[in-house]
Amino acid sequence: MPTEVALLESPALRVEQMGRVEALDKVKNLVMLPDGIHLRTEDVARYFEVSTEVIKKLTQRHRAEVEENGLRLLRGAELRIFHRDMVSLWGGEQAASYPQAPTQLTLYTRRTVLDVAMLLRDSDIARSVRTHLLDAEEDFRASYVSLERRVTRIEGCLLGVGSALQELGPVLGRMSQRLDSLDRKLDVTHQVVGAISLRLTDVSQDVLRLDTRMDDLYRRLRDPIRRTDG
């Protein structure tokens, strides 16, 4: 895990943390200009509770890095347009109190402020931001290790399931053969039952015919007896 000193000294480590601007508001409320995007040097100094000269000197020493992370210097027409836009966004009585830089204005974004937090040594707020970043990094690494272990256990379980399925394959094959055999026997049984049913139908018809003949014979035998009695 990187240390605070490593974060202060290593541009590569700072680049890895540049997307985590939420750390700023976790430590202290960051007051933005009306556009919700930019801050001035005095706003950044107020956030870190240091003088504006400290912020100016730091950005001069690390000019290329802070510019890469959003630092802008406005002059001339660009500055006048920006000032007009801020006054329009601010509105009301606050607009009159918005200061206009006479010749130039340095603007910071959240990424720039986070970069300053990783460069500024003599500020308790900056140290708190770095601590938050490092603690969050440690939590992330711990979560990653825990997830990796869980994935490893799942992989082990899947290997066991694979072995069990390989062993179960032949058993399922034999059961399938036995079921096929039972299906064939059932087909034969159905055919036999069908034949028996047909035979029983014939027998039933024979019995009906026999009953009819017996009734006829009974009547024929009874009629001579009646004539004799008469």
Side-chain angles (χ1 to χ4, degrees):
M1 174 183 171
T3 63
E4 184 179 358
V5 173
L7 199 59
L8 286 164
E9 299 295 339
S10 172
L13 289 178
R14 291 195 292 272
V15 169
E16 291 179 3
Q17 302 296 330
M18 283 315 303
R20 301 173 58 194
V21 294
E22 75 282 352
L24 297 169
D25 289 313
K26 295 286 186 181
V27 175
K28 183 181 177 181
N29 184 38
L30 188 62
V31 180
M32 315 292 291
L33 288 176
D35 63 355
I37 299 174
H38 297 100
L39 304 90
R40 299 161 299 184
T41 304
E42 53 265 39
D43 300 322
V44 178
R46 190 177 301 112
Y47 175 82
F48 289 111
E49 299 176 2
V50 297
S51 67
T52 56
E53 289 302 316
V54 169
I55 301 299
K56 289 177 181 179
K57 289 178 181 179
L58 184 140
T59 54
Q60 288 171 1
R61 287 197 305 269
H62 303 276
R63 193 72 183 183
E65 182 174 330
V66 292
E67 285 183 347
E68 186 176 348
N69 287 300
L71 186 75
R72 294 174 59 199
L73 182 62
L74 303 184
R75 294 188 180 95
E78 190 176 17
L79 175 58
R80 289 192 296 273
I81 293 172
F82 182 82
H83 176 75
R84 182 193 62 200
D85 291 343
M86 291 302 101
V87 170
S88 175
L89 288 171
W90 213 312
E93 296 180 358
Q94 290 180 317
S97 64
Y98 177 77
Q100 182 176 9
T103 57
Q104 63 182 31
L105 176 64
T106 302
L107 293 177
Y108 301 70
T109 65
R110 286 179 177 272
R111 284 176 62 91
T112 323
V113 178
L114 182 60
D115 196 19
V116 171
M118 291 186 285
L119 291 166
L120 185 59
R121 295 176 182 270
D122 299 324
S123 166
D124 291 337
I125 299 300
R127 279 192 288 270
S128 296
V129 173
R130 291 193 292 270
T131 298
H132 180 81
L133 290 173
L134 294 172
D135 289 346
E137 179 76 11
E138 177 63 20
D139 292 342
F140 173 78
R141 290 177 184 272
S143 299
Y144 177 80
V145 170
S146 175
L147 178 61
E148 187 176 23
R149 289 173 180 169
R150 290 164 62 188
V151 170
T152 300
R153 287 198 297 269
I154 292 172
E155 288 176 344
C157 293
L158 289 176
L159 288 174
V161 170
S163 300
L165 289 175
Q166 289 178 350
E167 296 175 359
L168 187 61
V171 176
L172 292 175
R174 291 193 295 271
M175 290 181 63
S176 178
Q177 293 175 355
R178 293 177 64 184
L179 289 173
D180 290 341
S181 177
L182 286 173
D183 284 341
R184 290 193 294 272
K185 289 179 180 179
L186 284 174
D187 288 340
V188 172
T189 301
H190 288 157
Q191 293 174 2
V192 171
V193 170
I196 291 173
S197 178
L198 291 174
R199 181 56 183 159
L200 287 176
T201 300
D202 294 339
V203 169
S204 177
Q205 292 175 353
D206 291 341
V207 169
L208 289 174
R209 286 195 295 270
L210 182 60
D211 283 343
T212 302
R213 293 178 64 185
M214 290 292 294
D215 290 340
D216 183 62
L217 179 60
Y218 175 75
R219 286 193 300 270
R220 290 170 61 188
L221 289 173
R222 189 179 56 181
D223 288 342
I225 292 174
R226 286 178 178 178
R227 287 195 296 269
T228 302
D229 290 340

